[in-house]
């Protein structure tokens, strides 16, 4: 396959990878910071039932979010890349990473459940969860670095805006927006925030404001500032 013609690129511009970049950033930040939080709890930091529930709920949704992200890539992104770029792209190693990550996510989900059911003062469940989160973060960091190095230039060169819009639509349709939307805003930089606010209408901005306030309240509980 050849790259898009210059006239097509001029008329439609290149795909906007902002959403995927923020999603990657959020996954890495969440797995890193929760590994730290659970490590402190495992070392004896107080964690009452309210905080335990908030952490368990967030991590359950995080596992679902990462799984959804990988499903979109496996079922939509990789086929689009293959159809658009042909021999210029090879995603087999990235697919293998997904298999390994999904197995680790299953273990992570089990440890989230163990932590949620643990009694106050039981530090072993927190320690197990912290270690699995560290492993998940390390594997995700390696996978995401490879993916952005391999996939992003291919998308920019070969994939049409119309095809990439299918990826964005699938991501929005299958994700839990009450979790994903405020999380995206909290992990976006200033330029990305300005872009998202400009694209959102007044009603969407109002709804997002409510979701972000709810998100921030839970965050205060998670980090141990709301007791």
């Amino acid at each position: 396959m050849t790259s898009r013609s210059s006239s097509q690129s001029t008329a439609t511009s290149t795909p906007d990878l902002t959403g995927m970049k923020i999603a990657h950033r959020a996954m890495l930040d969440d797995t890193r910071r929760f590994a730290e939080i659970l490590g402190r709890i495992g070392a004896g930091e107080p964690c009452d039932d309210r905080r335990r529930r908030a952490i368990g709920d967030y991590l359950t949704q995080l596992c679902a979010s990462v799984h959804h992200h990988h499903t979109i890539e496996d079922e939509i992104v990789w086929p689009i890349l293959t159809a658009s770029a042909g021999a210029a792209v090879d995603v087999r190693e990235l697919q293998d990473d997904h298999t390994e990550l999904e197995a680790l996510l299953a273990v992570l989900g089990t440890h989230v459940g163990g932590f949620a059911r643990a009694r106050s003062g039981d530090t072993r469940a927190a320690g197990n969860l912290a270690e699995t989160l560290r492993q998940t973060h390390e594997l995700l960091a390696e996978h995401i670095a490879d993916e952005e190095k391999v996939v992003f230039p291919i998308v920019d060169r070969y994939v049409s805006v119309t095809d990439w819009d299918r990826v964005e639509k699938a991501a929005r349709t299958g994700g839990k927006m009450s979790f994903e939307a405020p999380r995206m805003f909290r992990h976006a930089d200033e330029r990305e925030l300005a872009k998202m606010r400009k694209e959102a209408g007044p009603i969407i901005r109002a709804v997002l404001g409510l979701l972000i306030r709810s998100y921030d309240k839970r965050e205060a509980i998670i980090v141990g500032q709301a007791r």
Side-chain angles (χ1 to χ4, degrees):
M1 298 290 291
T2 58
S3 63
R4 292 166 297 173
S5 67
S6 58
S7 61
Q8 179 188 16
S9 297
T10 301
T12 61
S13 77
T14 57
D16 184 359
L17 293 167
T18 299
M20 184 168 281
K21 290 177 181 178
I22 299 175
H24 285 172
R25 197 180 306 149
M27 284 188 279
L28 291 177
D29 183 66
D30 277 344
T31 48
R32 175 197 56 77
R33 70 191 183 94
F34 274 96
E36 294 173 356
I37 290 170
L38 270 297
R40 294 196 302 269
I41 294 172
E45 182 176 281
C47 182
D48 59 20
D49 289 343
R50 184 185 184 209
R51 187 184 185 198
R52 189 179 299 275
R53 285 194 301 271
I55 291 172
D57 178 63
Y58 192 104
L59 290 177
T60 296
Q61 292 183 74
L62 175 61
C63 287
S65 176
V66 175
H67 173 72
H68 174 60
H69 183 85
H70 290 165
T71 300
I72 295 300
E73 290 180 338
D74 290 336
E75 296 182 356
I76 301 177
V77 178
W78 304 157
I80 285 175
L81 293 183
T82 301
S84 301
V89 63
D90 185 350
V91 297
R92 285 175 294 183
E93 289 188 9
L94 297 174
Q95 290 172 320
D96 290 343
D97 285 350
H98 281 185
T99 300
E100 188 175 355
L101 279 162
E102 286 298 310
L104 190 53
L105 282 176
V107 176
L108 181 59
T110 298
H111 286 162
V112 169
F115 173 76
R117 293 188 300 270
R119 295 180 180 180
S120 179
D122 180 356
T123 60
R124 183 175 60 179
N128 290 338
L129 181 51
E131 177 57 29
T132 307
L133 282 161
R134 281 191 288 269
Q135 293 173 10
T136 304
H137 175 77
E138 290 172 3
L139 186 53
L140 272 173
E142 182 179 351
H143 171 71
I144 286 171
D146 289 342
E147 184 177 305
E148 294 189 352
K149 181 180 179 180
V150 172
V151 171
F152 282 13
I154 293 293
V155 172
D156 186 64
R157 182 176 180 184
Y158 292 99
V159 177
S160 70
V161 172
T162 299
D163 279 343
W164 195 253
D165 283 346
R166 290 170 49 206
V167 176
E168 295 291 336
K169 182 178 180 180
R172 291 191 300 270
T173 302
K176 184 176 181 180
M177 284 301 104
S178 60
F179 177 72
E180 300 293 356
R183 185 164 162 264
M184 293 286 280
F185 268 74
R186 284 294 176 248
H187 289 90
D189 62 27
E190 288 302 319
R191 180 188 61 80
E192 292 162 342
L193 280 172
K195 179 179 181 296
M196 287 190 290
R197 289 192 178 110
K198 182 179 180 180
E199 292 174 349
I203 295 177
I204 294 177
R205 285 197 295 269
V207 172
L208 280 171
L210 294 173
L211 293 176
I212 289 170
R213 282 195 289 275
S214 177
Y215 179 94
D216 289 344
K217 288 179 181 179
R218 181 169 62 177
E219 279 296 299
I221 297 170
I222 286 170
V223 299
Q225 295 175 351
R227 298 197 181 94

